Amino acid sequence: METKVRVRDLYKSFHQLEALKGVDLDANEGDVICIIGPSGSGKSTLLRCINMLEKPDSGTVIVNSVELTGKKVNINRARRNIGMVFQQFNLFPHMTTKQNIMFAPVDLKLMKKSEAEEKALSLLKRVGLKDRANAYPWQLSGGQKQRVAIARSLAMHPDVMLFDEPTSALDPEMIGEVLQVIKELADGGMTMLIVTHEMNFARDIADTVIFMEGGIIIEQGDPAVVLQNPREERTRRFLNLVLQA
């Protein structure tokens, strides 16, 4: 099976804070990897280094056989194949949902405007929002905004999707609608790395769960093992706190 993401010996510091300390990670085609851990453990930094929103201090990141940490890489071209969904949606407020989705493919001259519009409407239908094509972000709920953000990432036909706590800014009743879209992507074979605090979701969707703390991977493996019978004491303590909350 093709390895879509390979991370080796990844280090990243912010001044005195060591955010990542030699992280290794592999994601094969179709894998769904959920990354859990306390705040400040390096989870979001790891995702941001995988698509080079943060430049690692050292180590190697390879996505689709392209070494993003290489000196001669065209990072903007390589990044087209990596979708990223953030906590805070990051939609353009002055554009409709349809225009938000169309913007990157048209701006990068990957599609004609008519083609991009057809694609945008198809993606809005896929995330259950075709009737909101001409709405602006301020007219949408948080869950709807996040579904538009997912559709926007899919417009670039990514091979890998990265989700950085996609439900953390949502009201509880809106979480399910976003998780359902992500589950449908998983069922369709999309390779995904998901930073999440939704433990039941991680157990249901993930092929692998990774527990991080202090910039290192403490434990990783089958969700049933990591989430229900972890080997490491630190993982057990974290899960006891989270599952009691």
Side-chain angles (χ1 to χ4, degrees), residues 141-144 147 167 170-179 198:
S141 70
Q144 289 171 330
R147 284 187 279 159
T167 61
L170 301 180
D171 293 332
E173 66 268 21
M174 295 174 185
I175 289 172
E177 64 192 59
V178 173
L179 296 183
E198 301 288 338

Side-chain angles (χ1 to χ4, degrees), residues 43-96:
K43 310 182 299 293
S44 295
T45 301
L46 174 58
L47 288 196
R48 293 174 69 85
C49 284
I50 287 172
N51 73 354
M52 302 299 284
L53 287 174
E54 299 286 354
K55 188 176 180 184
D57 298 331
S58 62
T60 304
V61 176
I62 299 171
V63 179
N64 287 334
S65 303
V66 176
E67 186 181 342
L68 302 191
T69 42
K71 289 192 169 98
K72 295 184 178 179
V73 68
N74 181 331
I75 195 64
N76 290 324
R77 182 180 295 277
R79 200 184 275 143
R80 291 177 192 172
N81 294 318
I82 309 170
M84 181 91 182
V85 177
F86 301 89
Q87 297 178 35
Q88 296 295 341
F89 327 128
N90 292 9
L91 299 176
F92 296 115
H94 62 289
M95 293 184 184
T96 65

